[in-house]
Amino acid sequence: MGERAMDKESWGRSRASLRITATGRKLLWASYMCSIVLVLQYLAQPASADPVLASSVGFCKPVRLEATAEEKNRSVQCCLPAPRRAIKRFKLPHVHHLRVRRPAHELANDVEYVNKYNLAYERMNALPADDPRSFLRQWHTHCSFCKEAYLQRRLNTSTTGYPLQLHYSWTFLPWHRMLIYFHEKILGSLINDPDFTLPFWNWDNQLDATAGQIPQIFLPYQQSNRWPRQRGRHGRYGKIRNTFLYEGKRRNPNHMPPKVLPLTFDASLEKERANWTHDQIRHANLGQVYEMVYNKVSAREYLGGPYDTNSNFTEAVNVTVGESGGSESLHNTAHEWVGMLNNTAYPDNEDMGVFTYAGRDPIFYSHHANVDRLWNVWKALPDKITPDGHRVRKDYDDYDFLETEFTFYDENADMVIVKVKDTLESNKLGYTYQPMVEADSLWINHKPNGTKPSYKRSDVRVSTSNAIGRHPTSFKLRRHAPTAADLRGTQAQNVQQLSEGVVFEHVRVPELMYVRFDVFLDSPSATAETDEDESAYVGTFTHLPSGVTTVTDLGQKMVHVEDDDMYRTLNIRFSTSLALKRLGVTDWNTDVTVTVVPRFRPHGYGWNIKALTFSCLRQEFT
């Protein structure tokens, strides 16, 4: 409210200098009405979604790790050093030309680039541990902000008393954008190259055979003493030196090239799907990107739900309430596939497989560069989802979203405060991406398998309990036509622009448990072997194992979490408009079944948990 208060004060001061004429009174009345509108807009926002200050200043706790047989109380220290100088406000750069991020698979044999990229990381790694620009502290930035080491803060810096978590909400995309923005700027400064850019791992690309593999840049090269001269200005004679990009990095040895990242990856079915052909993987990948990017029209569907700063922690088991968007859900698979999930030699699922260690692998930043690229692509996609067909895909325009602030260390080791509203256009930040129009068009124009489930409604057994067990379960979803009331809080201009979805509310997920399930509409016979590219498929939810700190009383309102009872409470949303259209469900009064196919692991943390509970299942428009 600070900025609004200042606007109101300046309006009040200007009033004294106005001559009270008919024209002046009209202007005053217009200003007054605008002020009322702003206030009403502010009051209309959910009380739980105040702007948050995500800062590394103040209270910080070690991040808890999963217990082992040898050590019960395990943790890692991810807290960042305190700023040495006054904290600054971030200012958008003066952009003379755009820096262009290029795909990693196309840079594999660019000797000059790969050597420069490796050198930048070597110099970053050589910085002292107390330098916030060091590779250690870059890793710790993601670890601490995404594993609840810090507390939420209001814009006036007072704490809410709850842990800070920058996944599972609308903060996911803008925070990670600025994480890799400053990471990239630091790397460039260390090699005196202001035009340096990170490569992006173009895993959604099903056109180029090597695009979805772990990029060669991050692997040892088989090379002779001298490479042939490359075309263009980037080629150079000499060996590629990229040892920092792979030495000591923990990655799944079973997923090395020529293996391609399957975006529907499920470790429990890896043996069964080992013989999948390239075309099968390609088709499934196109379908997954289509569902998780193209099929999301509203900001809530793609970016995630509002950041909750007023969670109900009356139960000790509640840690945080959040809602991931399609972007975050899609990106989880690469983390899981690259990391050492469920390898007994690596109990913490390092590196990429767990938030704690993901930032320790350089591929993490390349992975998130592609997540960031897809955000730009998503905003340019046409609306062929809603009945209206002309809805513009755009970011939230919510005050609480735009005014949320993050702190990062820049290339000068200065702490800067960045508002979300300054992160929304990459061009204004001075960078763009090499266009991948032909590859993107494959998933944009993808058509899912036209197979429709066949069954008798009278034979369907629907569950009456709000529980997702270890076997496929069907639930009944009651539907209604959208009304004017459904428009409230959305960015749609009319009811015909609303996107229909289904929401599992308040799903209780153990913090350290791997959880995955697929969801189908009107397909009660769906099983773990059912093709995710069928007409009835609406998406997949994945929860990577993670931990939260046990917060102790510091003389303010705190959240106590029992070590053996740590849960995260999430709302899980799936977009249903296109699937209903494909299934021929055109009557708003037609109820449908929602079938959940769990893919829980038979071992590891949570193996003994029989079901995940949720409060309700409902239709919702965004």
Side-chain angles (χ1 to χ4, degrees):
M1 288 295 289
E3 289 186 12
R4 288 177 187 163
M6 287 189 288
D7 290 343
K8 185 176 179 181
E9 287 170 6
S10 63
W11 175 75
R13 287 193 297 269
S14 66
R15 177 176 180 176
S17 62
L18 286 174
R19 292 185 178 180
I20 308 302
T21 62
T23 303
R25 281 192 293 270
K26 289 179 181 178
L27 289 172
L28 285 173
W29 179 250
S31 298
Y32 177 70
M33 291 305 295
C34 286
S35 298
I36 289 178
V37 170
L38 284 172
V39 171
L40 289 175
Q41 287 177 339
Y42 178 81
L43 292 175
Q45 303 306 324
S48 61
D50 299 325
V52 66
L53 169 61
S55 175
S56 60
V57 175
F59 172 82
C60 182
K61 288 284 288 185
V63 169
R64 179 180 181 269
L65 300 174
E66 185 174 350
T68 64
E70 296 77 22
E71 189 177 0
K72 299 299 182 183
N73 298 312
R74 302 174 62 238
S75 64
V76 62
Q77 180 63 260
C78 288
C79 300
L80 300 176
R84 298 173 182 174
R85 294 179 287 274
I87 302 174
K88 300 179 179 180
R89 284 280 172 185
F90 175 72
K91 294 181 179 179
L92 288 169
H94 297 290
V95 179
H96 303 292
H97 63 276
L98 294 175
R99 295 178 292 112
V100 181
R101 291 178 182 167
R102 294 178 289 158
H105 67 283
E106 292 187 10
L107 291 165
N109 291 330
D110 187 331
V111 181
E112 179 184 11
Y113 177 82
V114 177
N115 288 350
K116 181 170 62 175
Y117 184 32
N118 186 78
L119 176 62
Y121 269 120
E122 286 181 338
R123 290 181 176 176
M124 177 182 275
N125 192 52
L127 293 173
D130 62 350
D131 190 325
R133 302 171 301 160
S134 66
F135 188 70
L136 174 72
R137 299 306 184 177
Q138 293 293 294
W139 153 39
H140 285 173
T141 301
H142 186 262
C143 171
S144 59
F145 279 92
C146 300
K147 289 295 296 285
E148 291 102 349
Y150 291 105
L151 295 177
Q152 299 173 9
R153 292 183 180 275
R154 303 179 183 88
L155 297 190
N156 64 6
T157 74
S158 64
T159 68
T160 66
Y162 301 128
L164 177 68
Q165 168 59 260
L166 293 176
H167 289 78
Y168 313 109
S169 77
W170 62 19
T171 60
F172 171 76
L173 281 174
W175 186 85
H176 283 83
R177 166 170 284 183
M178 297 312 293
L179 173 71
I180 62 173
Y181 171 84
F182 287 112
H183 187 77
E184 180 178 76
K185 297 285 281 186
I186 294 169
L187 289 171
S189 71
L190 292 173
I191 54 174
N192 300 313
D193 183 358
D195 291 328
F196 174 79
T197 55
L198 289 165
F200 62 90
W201 179 17
N202 194 200
W203 38 257
D204 60 294
N205 181 342
Q206 305 304 307
L207 181 66
D208 300 317
T210 62
Q213 298 173 3
I214 291 180
Q216 178 61 59
I217 285 178
F218 302 104
L219 301 171
Y221 281 79
Q222 296 295 324
Q223 56 189 356
S224 60
N225 286 334
R226 296 181 66 79
W227 283 66
R229 186 180 296 278
Q230 307 292 319
R231 291 184 178 181
R233 65 182 179 87
H234 302 292
R236 292 291 186 274
Y237 283 116
K239 276 191 173 183
I240 283 184
R241 189 180 189 305
N242 71 326
T243 51
F244 184 83
L245 300 176
Y246 67 83
E247 282 189 349
K249 310 304 183 287
R250 296 166 175 83
R251 299 168 185 152
N252 195 322
N254 298 319
H255 296 158
M256 293 294 120
K259 293 284 184 67
V260 172
L261 167 63
L263 294 172
T264 58
F265 174 70
D266 179 0
S268 64
L269 292 177
E270 190 161 19
K271 290 183 179 179
E272 289 85 341
R273 294 183 175 183
N275 295 322
W276 268 26
T277 65
H278 173 74
D279 283 344
Q280 284 177 299
I281 295 174
R282 178 177 179 272
H283 196 74
N285 284 355
L286 290 173
Q288 193 70 3
V289 185
Y290 176 83
E291 287 295 339
M292 306 308 283
V293 182
Y294 184 84
N295 194 22
K296 312 297 183 185
V297 181
S298 68
R300 183 151 196 162
E301 290 173 305
Y302 192 66
L303 276 73
Y307 188 97
D308 193 336
T309 58
N310 192 30
S311 301
N312 178 9
F313 286 91
T314 54
E315 294 182 68
V317 293
N318 282 345
V319 174
T320 186
V321 177
E323 181 183 322
S324 298
S327 174
E328 184 177 357
S329 297
L330 178 64
H331 112 289
N332 284 342
T333 305
H335 275 282
E336 177 188 5
W337 190 72
V338 175
M340 303 291 277
L341 276 172
N342 298 307
N343 184 319
T344 54
Y346 301 94
D348 301 315
N349 307 314
E350 59 262 49
D351 283 336
M352 280 281 282
V354 64
F355 293 155
T356 311
Y357 293 113
R360 198 166 64 178
D361 190 337
I363 201 173
F364 165 82
Y365 305 95
S366 187
H367 167 47
H368 270 276
N370 196 52
V371 175
D372 186 71
R373 183 190 74 86
L374 287 173
W375 184 11
N376 284 358
V377 174
W378 173 77
K379 285 188 275 193
L381 293 174
D383 170 19
K384 295 184 180 179
I385 311 297
T386 70
D388 179 89
H390 295 93
R391 182 168 176 173
V392 176
R393 301 176 193 241
K394 58 184 179 180
D395 300 314
Y396 283 100
D397 53 13
D398 187 294
Y399 173 85
D400 297 324
F401 174 71
L402 299 174
E403 293 298 316
T404 284
E405 296 177 343
F406 311 131
T407 61
F408 290 97
Y409 282 101
D410 68 9
E411 64 272 26
N412 300 312
D414 289 324
M415 180 177 282
V416 295
I417 300 176
V418 185
K419 283 186 180 290
V420 164
K421 65 184 179 184
D422 290 330
T423 73
L424 303 180
E425 296 182 46
S426 63
N427 285 1
K428 289 185 178 180
L429 291 168
Y431 73 90
T432 187
Y433 289 91
Q434 177 179 313
M436 307 300 294
V437 177
E438 189 175 0
D440 290 343
S441 68
L442 293 181
W443 56 261
I444 291 171
N445 298 312
H446 177 72
K447 302 299 179 189
N449 185 330
T451 304
K452 298 180 181 180
S454 177
Y455 66 96
K456 292 182 179 179
R457 289 188 178 272
S458 58
D459 294 337
V460 178
R461 293 183 179 181
V462 294
S463 175
T464 56
S465 65
N466 292 347
I468 299 169
R470 290 186 172 268
H471 302 284
T473 307
S474 294
F475 305 92
K476 184 175 182 178
L477 176 67
R478 298 190 179 278
R479 300 173 62 244
H480 68 270
T483 66
D486 293 308
L487 275 173
R488 294 171 191 159
T490 74
Q491 294 172 303
Q493 302 300 307
N494 56 67
V495 293
Q496 294 300 309
Q497 286 190 354
L498 289 170
S499 179
E500 185 178 359
V502 57
V503 181
F504 290 84
E505 282 204 333
H506 297 159
V507 184
R508 294 177 63 243
V509 180
E511 284 287 326
L512 297 176
M513 181 179 175
Y514 172 84
V515 174
R516 173 191 167 99
F517 55 81
D518 299 333
V519 176
F520 299 83
L521 295 186
D522 267 1
S523 186
S525 59
T527 66
E529 288 73 35
T530 302
D531 186 356
E532 292 95 337
D533 199 40
E534 286 196 1
S535 294
Y537 174 73
V538 292
T540 295
F541 170 76
T542 303
H543 177 268
L544 297 177
S546 61
V548 297
T549 57
T550 300
V551 185
T552 56
D553 187 4
L554 293 180
Q556 52 190 326
K557 187 177 182 181
M558 305 299 291
V559 185
H560 181 68
V561 182
E562 297 294 337
D563 286 346
D564 297 330
D565 250 342
M566 296 197 301
Y567 285 79
R568 172 172 282 119
T569 304
L570 302 171
N571 295 333
I572 303 175
R573 179 184 307 274
F574 299 93
S575 305
T576 59
S577 294
L578 278 182
L580 290 167
K581 189 183 298 184
R582 292 193 298 263
L583 294 172
V585 179
T586 57
D587 186 349
W588 288 109
N589 295 316
T590 300
D591 296 339
V592 296
T593 59
V594 177
T595 300
V596 178
V597 178
R599 299 180 185 275
F600 302 162
R601 302 276 166 80
H603 47 76
Y605 187 91
W607 65 270
N608 59 329
I609 294 177
K610 295 181 179 180
L612 306 179
T613 61
F614 59 94
S615 62
C616 69
L617 174 72
R618 61 183 175 81
Q619 175 197 40
E620 185 173 280
F621 296 94
T622 58

